[in-house]
Amino acid sequence: MAGSTNLVVPIVMWGRTAPSHCISSVYLLRDQRTMVTGSHDGQVIIWQLESTEKWNFTPRHMLIGHTAPVKCIAKASPGVDCHHIVTSSESGEMSTWDTV
């Protein structure tokens, strides 16, 4: 297959509540409805704001790629319609994620 890669995309699912997640960093996207958190165990979770009345955030995706605490989350490019973020960990690992 031309142009194929060895990219592995993990899929993690959970029930009505997300796993315990000791937050070490937080980033709120420009849409004010999507929040990204990094944890001490290296997980990154994308949350969706469901209700502004009760400020209910629902976990949407768990991203796994760090082996150390996530220390920084930032927008990956300066554009207004950017939906990519970059995360970095205490061990120096960096990952880029698509939040859509």
Side-chain angles (χ1 to χ4, degrees), residues 20-71:
S20 65
H21 181 71
C22 186
I23 294 173
S24 58
S25 55
V26 176
Y27 182 78
L28 185 64
L29 272 71
R30 186 178 177 90
D31 66 4
Q32 304 284 312
R33 300 186 72 79
T34 307
M35 179 172 61
V36 182
T37 57
S39 72
H40 286 287
D41 59 5
Q43 298 171 344
V44 176
I45 295 183
I46 299 175
W47 304 82
Q48 189 68 41
L49 177 64
E50 298 298 329
S51 164
T52 54
E53 290 177 16
K54 296 183 182 180
W55 290 99
N56 248 357
F57 279 92
T58 302
R60 193 170 45 146
H61 301 289
M62 179 186 291
L63 310 171
I64 299 170
H66 291 291
T67 58
V70 176
K71 293 297 186 180

